[in-house]
């Protein structure tokens, strides 16, 4: 069976980029609306009013239109999104890409035929998680960038849902949908399309309380860009449905270069003759268009030494070489080995496998050599500070080949060569030829002949000629006004019909098949009549193609009825009278503080799971009910983590990802299950999502950290308050990342097999530009969580929450000692008991906090009724 050709899916942040994607051969494009609710709010995006026109343009190019509604929704926004989904379905959108289950629930009620794709923001990373998505009507999952080819193969074998894989572009340092840095530090949320790019900022490394000098390496969380070309053959073999290019904030040159490059590469692979030479040229173009340096990302598995360059956070382009000398307006550059960017620990040697081979299952790193520089190209020198945008660079005026290198001549405008020194790296970061190439493509107008059309001709003497056409699932028919007559010559043979009926120039169609078997031989029809039939058929099919596949759209409001139907499936539970303090511990000292405080229950988040059984036994011996937290995310093959929790038979499980939720909900009939509490990482921000999850069987939910006081209050207008937990005091988990800062900075190891486990010997923190030290903790999957330096407290909200009926209040610890944990617990116990004011509780809890306690995401507490962000 021949391999499926994967869809090349292009980003479109504006009309120019959309047109560049279409003329370059994209099979599908994804884009957002001006009205928001998409993960790239800073893109120019597209108008809802002109959406039918945009969709028609895409369809005429033979491509599919995917609309991104992939952010979390707040309660007051549900009617707005209902309106957007209704308009999108009516406009002919082929699929919605969604993060919040609420969007899927609304779409299913409004237009059952509308395809739904799970955004990578939904964090669907396992077969169990896929089953959750399928329950929402999801037919395609955009998998997390953190999955390797081997893990994708395993996932594909466990599900029949379509898989879409990011193949090129920027990498997020955090798992998508699990990044709260923008929310915690910038007051704007990545889950709302307003990423503040915190991973692209400089950080200092703090090891066991001491600053570690890493020289030029400052950008410890800024990954290189993904160029997954080497994974494409295996992904084609696996049968993934889509290869997705990141870049809705990038321009037409980038979009065109990537779409053309990946299309050519895929077609050469399917033809059985992979074109390596052409691939190298295409990679060079992609690099110059936009690149922070290329890597395999995680497609080859974790490689903590190559993922992060660390010396710059932004576009660099294609590496040219190093400065040998400067003379006046001329710089001599000589090529050298591409800079090795790992090995910040014991040395700078490239890590090797046991047989001396580079330890990567994909062949070679993505090469992006630009070849000889040309006049007009732009270069940048590694001098100055990238964050200040002060690096010297400019266009080349003259190039002279000299030995193995080049003499680059500059003019005005040009770089400040007084700041350029021998030994500095030189990068080609622009090429006017790319711009001219795209301009030439766009000047050709809309692409033609992309949609295959099948024709069937039938008729007999003294009757009309019947023409039936089908394209993209649409059908149309036309019959001649003039009757068929006996021919004097050869008559209507296949060659004539193919010539006259298949002349689709100037249209989106091309003749794919002609069936003349039902046409009697020896008949004649004027050529003018054949052309009229063709025009009539094309006009009818064109309207249908522009409109998209047939669907029914409900015009009456569905929000209230959908919410009511969901809550009918939510079992009632008794309302507690007294508030409950829920301490979450991460070490034995904190557990001892909980026992000493006399609390009846504890939540155990033993992130590395080492000593978890001992902690469970200690808590039970003290008479505590035990809740165990799952890992934050789970990949194919990691199901054992949940099974390990099962064997400890906890009273409850704190569920942090969809796969764990399904694991504990899908227990065989008759088997008792623990109580299930959904954590903040499930991203519950509205009543529709809450009702759906409670209806599935979760006992309680935790409010998402994306909610401020006003938004939280809005959710409680439509949901049972006693089924929610508030994070009362915690250090917000900002990044949750597959990349290990310990391995990268304290070893030369590629992954846990070769890193030597520095996390077992040292404690790391990352110091930001404000001097705040953010703790970095490793979990059992070797993933890092970066916790906010400042504790966040919702104490001032407690009186109002108690009035609303909230009874569950969580206090989370990170690295607190027993004494510090005891002080915090005492303060909040007295607050919930009415013996301490919120201000005094915060004061007592903050005694040991080096960086203080803030209201954090509850920053609008003093202004109830503030409109949602």
């Amino acid at each position: 069976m021949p391999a499926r050709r994967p869809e090349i899916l292009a980003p479109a942040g504006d009309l120019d980029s959309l047109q560049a994607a279409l003329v370059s051969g994209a099979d599908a494009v994804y884009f957002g609306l001006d009205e928001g609710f998409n993960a790239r709010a800073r893109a120019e995006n597209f108008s809802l009013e002109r959406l039918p026109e945009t969709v028609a343009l895409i369809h005429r190019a033979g491509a599919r239109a995917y609309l991104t509604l992939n952010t979390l929704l707040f309660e007051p926004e549900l009617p707005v999104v209902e309106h957007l989904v209704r308009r999108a379905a009516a406009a002919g959108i082929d699929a919605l890409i969604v993060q919040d289950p609420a969007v899927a629930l609304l779409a299913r009620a409004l237009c059952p035929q509308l395809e739904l794709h799970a955004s990578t923001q939904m964090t669907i990373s396992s077969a169990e998680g896929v089953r959750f998505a399928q329950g929402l009507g999801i037919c395609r999952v955009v998998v997390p960038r953190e999955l390797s080819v081997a893990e994708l193969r395993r996932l594909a074998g466990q599900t029949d849902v379509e898989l879409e894989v990011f193949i090129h572009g920027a990498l997020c340092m955090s798992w998508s949908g699990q990044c709260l840095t923008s929310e915690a530090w910038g007051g704007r949320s990545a889950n709302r399309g307003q990423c503040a790019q915190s991973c692209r900022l400089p950080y200092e490394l703090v090891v066991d309380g001491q600053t570690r000098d890493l020289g030029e390496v400052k950008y410890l969380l800024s990954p290189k860009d993904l160029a997954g070309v080497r994974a494409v053959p295996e992904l084609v073999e696996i049968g993934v449905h889509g290869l997705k290019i990141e870049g809705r904030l990038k321009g037409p040159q980038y979009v065109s270069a990537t779409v053309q490059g990946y299309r050519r590469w895929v077609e050469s692979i399917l033809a059985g003759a992979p074109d390596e030479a052409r691939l190298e040229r295409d990679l060079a173009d992609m690099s110059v268009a936009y690149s922070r340096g290329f890597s395999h990302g995680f497609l080859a598995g974790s490689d903590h030494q190559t993922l992060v360059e660390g010396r710059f956070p932004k576009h660099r382009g294609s590496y040219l070489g190093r400065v040998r000398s400067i003379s006046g307006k001329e710089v001599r550059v000589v090529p050298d080995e591409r800079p090795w960017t790992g090995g910040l620990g014991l040395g700078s040697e490239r890590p090797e496998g046991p047989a001396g081979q580079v330890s990567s299952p994909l062949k070679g790193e993505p090469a992006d050599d630009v070849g000889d520089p040309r006049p007009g190209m732009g270069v940048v020198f590694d001098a100055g500070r990238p964050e200040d945008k002060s690096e010297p660079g400019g266009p080349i005026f003259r190039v002279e080949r000299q030995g193995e290198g080049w003499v680059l001549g500059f003019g005005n405008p040009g770089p400040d060569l007084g700041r350029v020194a021998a030994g500095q790296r030189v990068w080609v970061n622009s090429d006017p030829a790319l711009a001219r190439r795209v301009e030439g493509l766009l000047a050709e107008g809309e692409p033609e002949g992309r949609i295959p059309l099948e024709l069937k001709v039938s008729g007999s003497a003294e009757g009309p000629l019947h023409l039936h056409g089908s394209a993209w699932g649409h059908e149309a028919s036309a019959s001649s006004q003039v009757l068929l007559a006996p021919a004097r010559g050869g008559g209507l043979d296949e060659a004539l019909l193919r010539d006259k009926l298949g002349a689709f120039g100037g249209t989106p169609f091309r003749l794919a098949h002609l069936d003349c078997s039902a046409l009697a031989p020896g008949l004649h029809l004027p050529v003018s009549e054949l052309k009229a039939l063709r025009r009539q058929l094309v006009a009818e099919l064109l309207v249908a193609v522009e409109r998209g596949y047939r669907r029914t759209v409900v015009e009456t409001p569905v929000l209230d009825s959908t919410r009511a139907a969901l809550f009918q499936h939510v079992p009632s539970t008794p309302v507690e009278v007294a508030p409950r303090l829920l301490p979450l511990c991460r070490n034995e000292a904190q557990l001892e503080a909980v026992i000493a405080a006399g609390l009846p229950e504890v939540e155990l988040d033993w992130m590395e799971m080492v000593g978890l059984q001992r902690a469970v036994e200690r808590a039970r011996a003290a008479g505590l009910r035990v809740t165990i937290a799952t890992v934050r995310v789970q990949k194919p093959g990691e199901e054992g983590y949940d099974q390990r929790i099962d064997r400890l038979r906890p009273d409850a499980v704190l569920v942090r990802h969809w796969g764990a939720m399904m694991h504990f909900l899908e227990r065989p009939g008759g088997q008792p299950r623990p109580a299930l509490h959904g954590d903040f990482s499930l991203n519950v921000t509205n009543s529709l999502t809450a009702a759906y999850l409670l209806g599935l069987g979760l006992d309680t939910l935790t409010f998402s950290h994306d909610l401020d006081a006003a938004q939280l209050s809005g959710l409680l207008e439509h949901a049972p308050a006693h089924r929610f937990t508030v994070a009362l005091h915690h250090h917000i988990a900002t990044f949750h990342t597959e990349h290990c800062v310990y391995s990268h900075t304290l070893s030369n190891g590629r992954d846990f097999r070769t890193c030597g486990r520095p996390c077992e010997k040292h404690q790391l923190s990352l110091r930001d530009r404000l001097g705040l030290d953010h703790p970095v903790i490793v979990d059992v999957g070797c993933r890092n969580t970066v916790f906010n330096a400042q504790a966040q407290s919702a104490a001032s909200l407690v009186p109002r929450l108690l009035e609303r009926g909230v009874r569950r209040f969580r206090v989370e610890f990170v690295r607190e000692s027993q004494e510090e944990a005891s002080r915090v617990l005492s303060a909040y116990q007295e607050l919930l008991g009415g013996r301490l004011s919120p201000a005094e509780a915060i004061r007592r809890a903050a005694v040991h906090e080096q960086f203080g306690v803030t209201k954090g995401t509850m920053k609008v507490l003093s202004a109830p009724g503030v409109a949602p962000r």
Side-chain angles (χ1 to χ4, degrees):
M1 184 175 178
R4 175 193 298 112
R5 183 186 177 282
E7 186 178 78
I8 305 296
L9 178 55
D14 56 31
L15 183 58
D16 287 344
S17 294
L18 171 62
Q19 291 173 329
L22 297 177
V23 298
S24 299
D27 300 299
V29 292
Y30 65 103
F31 59 95
L33 293 174
D34 293 337
E35 285 72 12
F37 307 105
N38 76 86
R40 293 294 182 270
R42 290 186 292 127
E44 186 173 314
N45 293 312
F46 293 82
S47 158
L48 179 65
E49 199 61 39
R50 300 185 65 176
L51 187 57
E53 181 182 325
T54 301
V55 171
L57 171 66
I58 295 167
H59 285 171
R60 287 196 301 271
R64 284 164 58 86
Y66 299 155
L67 181 66
T68 56
L69 288 175
N70 58 339
T71 64
L72 302 181
L73 306 183
F74 300 142
E75 195 67 28
E77 298 167 341
L78 292 174
V80 178
V81 172
E82 176 183 342
H83 172 68
L84 294 181
V85 172
R86 182 180 288 110
R87 293 282 298 273
I93 285 292
D94 295 293
L96 295 180
I97 303 175
V98 306
Q99 174 184 15
D100 198 318
V103 183
L105 294 165
L106 286 171
R108 200 167 62 182
L110 285 165
C111 182
Q113 302 94 340
L114 185 57
E115 276 191 28
L116 299 175
H117 298 178
S119 169
T120 189
Q121 288 285 115
M122 196 179 270
T123 326
I124 304 294
S125 56
S126 67
E128 291 170 317
V130 168
R131 289 199 293 276
F132 164 72
Q134 288 177 304
L136 291 165
I138 301 290
C139 66
R140 179 184 294 194
V141 170
V142 185
V143 298
R145 294 171 175 88
E146 289 77 7
L147 298 193
S148 69
V149 170
E151 289 158 345
L152 288 167
R153 184 183 298 279
R154 184 169 189 156
L155 180 59
Q158 294 172 328
T159 178
D160 58 358
V161 76
E162 295 180 5
L163 301 181
E164 182 174 298
V165 178
F166 272 101
I167 199 65
H168 193 95
L171 289 168
C172 295
M173 176 51 72
S174 183
W175 278 69
S176 295
Q178 302 300 314
C179 184
L180 292 166
T181 56
S182 300
E183 180 67 59
W185 301 339
R188 56 195 237 200
S189 171
N191 283 325
R192 300 276 294 164
Q194 299 169 326
C195 173
Q197 298 273 296
S198 303
C199 56
R200 305 299 180 186
L201 297 176
Y203 296 92
E204 291 183 274
L205 184 71
V206 180
V207 184
D208 301 325
Q210 302 296 315
T211 304
R212 176 73 60 89
D213 184 8
L214 299 177
E216 294 179 284
V217 177
K218 303 291 185 186
Y219 301 92
L220 298 176
L221 298 176
S222 180
K224 292 190 282 188
D225 288 350
L226 169 65
V229 291
R230 294 299 174 194
V232 170
E234 283 192 78
L235 294 176
V236 169
E237 179 196 339
I238 290 167
V240 301
H241 280 73
L243 300 177
K244 188 169 194 170
I245 298 166
E246 179 277 340
R248 280 191 283 151
L249 292 174
K250 299 182 179 119
Q253 293 176 39
Y254 167 89
V255 171
S256 179
T258 51
V259 169
Q260 288 186 322
Y262 279 93
R263 187 178 183 93
R264 278 192 285 260
W265 182 230
V266 167
E267 288 176 348
S268 73
I269 290 168
L270 289 173
D275 191 343
E276 295 277 353
R278 180 72 226 200
L279 174 65
E280 287 188 15
R281 296 198 299 273
D282 285 337
L283 276 170
D285 286 347
M286 296 181 212
S287 180
V288 172
Y290 195 96
S291 167
R292 298 178 180 90
F294 284 153
S295 77
H296 296 308
F298 293 100
L299 289 169
S302 293
D303 189 340
H304 305 305
Q305 301 303 332
T306 63
L307 185 71
V308 171
E309 156 69 33
R311 294 180 175 88
F312 47 79
K314 60 183 182 180
H315 174 49
R316 261 305 182 265
S318 184
Y319 184 61
L320 187 61
R322 288 183 181 269
V323 174
R324 175 63 60 85
S325 61
I326 305 104
S327 176
K329 291 280 188 178
E330 295 182 341
V331 177
R332 186 182 175 204
V333 179
V334 293
D336 65 350
E337 276 194 34
R338 184 168 185 80
W340 170 239
T341 58
L344 301 179
L346 303 176
S348 60
E349 297 83 10
R350 187 183 181 93
E352 296 182 343
Q357 299 299 314
V358 174
S359 177
S360 171
L362 299 182
K363 185 181 71 174
E365 288 187 346
D368 59 357
D369 296 328
V370 74
D372 285 333
R374 301 185 303 275
M377 283 182 164
V379 298
V380 63
F381 298 89
D382 270 352
R385 296 188 300 172
E387 67 270 25
D388 294 337
K389 301 180 181 179
S390 62
E391 301 162 292
I396 303 170
F397 276 58
R398 184 178 65 82
V399 178
E400 177 187 335
R401 186 79 194 195
Q402 193 173 96
E404 293 185 356
W406 310 269
V407 174
L408 308 182
F410 297 95
N412 292 309
D416 179 1
L417 296 182
R419 298 173 55 215
V420 175
Q424 290 175 351
R425 298 181 183 88
V426 187
W427 309 77
V428 175
N429 66 352
S430 67
D431 185 357
L434 291 179
R436 290 193 296 270
R437 189 187 309 163
V438 176
E439 289 167 2
L441 284 171
L442 294 176
E444 295 175 6
E446 289 188 26
E448 300 175 2
R450 296 273 180 84
I451 301 174
L453 192 158
E454 296 186 358
L455 292 178
K456 185 173 183 178
V457 183
S458 61
S460 56
E462 299 185 2
L465 179 72
H466 300 292
L467 183 62
H468 180 83
S470 60
W472 265 21
H474 304 284
E475 298 189 359
S477 297
S479 298
S480 63
Q481 298 296 313
V482 177
L483 302 182
L484 289 162
R488 294 179 181 176
L492 298 175
D493 58 14
E494 182 177 341
L496 177 64
L497 292 172
R498 185 177 293 276
D499 180 49
K500 303 305 178 185
L501 295 179
F504 293 127
T507 79
F509 303 108
R510 59 180 170 80
L511 184 60
H513 179 69
L514 177 64
D515 180 359
C516 306
S517 61
L519 177 64
L523 298 175
H524 169 74
L525 196 71
V527 168
S528 59
E529 191 72 8
L530 291 175
K531 292 180 178 179
L533 280 175
R534 183 192 69 224
R535 287 192 293 267
Q536 180 183 345
L537 191 79
V538 164
E540 187 175 340
L541 279 175
L542 182 58
V543 171
V545 163
E546 288 180 335
R547 187 175 56 237
Y549 60 82
R550 292 179 183 175
R551 74 281 302 272
T552 56
V553 182
V554 176
E555 296 297 335
T556 55
V558 301
L559 173 58
D560 291 340
S561 60
T562 301
R563 182 162 47 210
L566 290 170
F567 273 113
Q568 284 180 356
H569 296 284
V570 177
S572 60
T573 58
V575 179
E576 298 181 38
V577 176
R580 184 187 296 191
L581 188 65
L582 305 170
L584 185 145
C585 302
R586 292 189 168 95
N587 62 44
E588 292 177 356
Q590 296 160 5
L591 174 57
E592 291 302 322
V594 172
I595 294 171
L599 290 165
E601 61 187 301
V602 67
E603 296 178 334
L604 302 178
D605 184 14
W606 256 237
M607 293 177 65
E608 291 192 84
M609 289 194 171
V610 176
L612 177 58
Q613 181 174 345
R614 184 171 62 249
V616 171
E617 291 170 352
R618 173 69 179 112
R620 285 199 173 126
L624 274 65
R625 294 191 302 274
V626 175
T627 298
I628 299 178
T630 71
V631 294
R632 182 87 167 269
V633 294
Q634 186 167 289
K635 299 164 74 173
E638 295 181 347
E639 297 80 7
Y641 297 149
D642 292 334
Q643 295 163 7
R644 196 163 163 184
I645 292 173
D646 260 331
R647 290 193 293 271
L648 294 172
R649 303 179 65 83
D651 300 290
V653 175
L654 185 60
V655 174
R656 288 180 165 160
H657 61 89
W658 303 123
M661 182 184 76
M662 298 303 290
H663 170 85
F664 290 104
L665 286 175
E666 294 176 336
R667 297 168 83 94
Q671 283 193 21
R673 70 164 175 83
L676 298 179
H677 305 301
D679 204 2
F680 73 94
S681 49
L682 300 187
N683 290 326
V684 178
T685 56
N686 60 73
S687 61
L688 288 189
T689 297
Y692 184 73
L693 297 180
L694 293 172
L696 284 179
L698 291 185
D699 295 282
T700 69
L701 301 167
T702 303
F703 291 113
S704 165
H705 295 333
D706 284 284
L707 295 171
D708 65 23
Q711 294 145 3
L712 188 153
S713 179
L715 195 167
L716 289 179
E717 293 290 335
H718 298 279
H722 70 288
R723 304 291 291 272
F724 283 90
T725 301
V726 171
L728 177 56
H729 180 102
H730 64 129
H731 292 260
I732 194 168
T734 54
F735 292 103
H736 186 68
T737 172
E738 197 73 12
H739 177 61
C740 184
V741 181
Y742 286 81
S743 178
H744 181 214
T745 60
L746 300 182
S747 86
N748 276 329
R750 179 177 187 269
D751 56 20
F752 71 93
R753 299 175 185 86
T754 56
C755 71
R757 305 294 179 94
C759 57
E760 296 177 359
K761 308 177 188 72
H762 303 284
Q763 285 191 344
L764 292 189
S765 296
L766 297 177
R767 181 171 296 157
D768 66 18
R769 295 177 298 173
L770 301 178
L772 302 178
D773 291 356
H774 305 285
V776 183
I777 297 184
V778 180
D779 73 6
V780 66
C782 291
R783 295 171 194 118
N784 288 190
T785 300
V786 181
F787 289 91
N788 194 14
Q790 294 178 305
Q792 174 175 314
S793 177
S796 59
L797 194 58
V798 166
R800 205 179 312 174
L801 289 172
L802 289 172
E803 289 177 8
R804 297 295 297 269
V806 175
R807 292 294 179 266
R808 296 171 56 83
F809 297 87
R810 179 174 295 121
V811 171
E812 290 193 24
F813 300 116
V814 179
R815 286 177 175 167
E816 286 86 347
S817 67
Q818 181 173 344
E819 178 186 354
E820 292 165 346
S822 294
R823 185 183 303 117
V824 172
L825 290 172
S826 174
Y828 288 114
Q829 279 178 295
E830 294 197 39
L831 171 65
L832 294 180
R835 300 181 297 276
L836 208 61
S837 69
E840 180 62 18
I842 292 174
R843 190 191 68 77
R844 288 196 194 177
V847 168
H848 70 276
E849 290 287 351
Q850 179 184 358
F851 302 108
V853 175
T854 72
K855 290 180 179 179
T857 56
M858 297 300 177
K859 59 189 172 301
V860 299
L861 288 178
S862 60
V866 170
R869 287 196 298 271

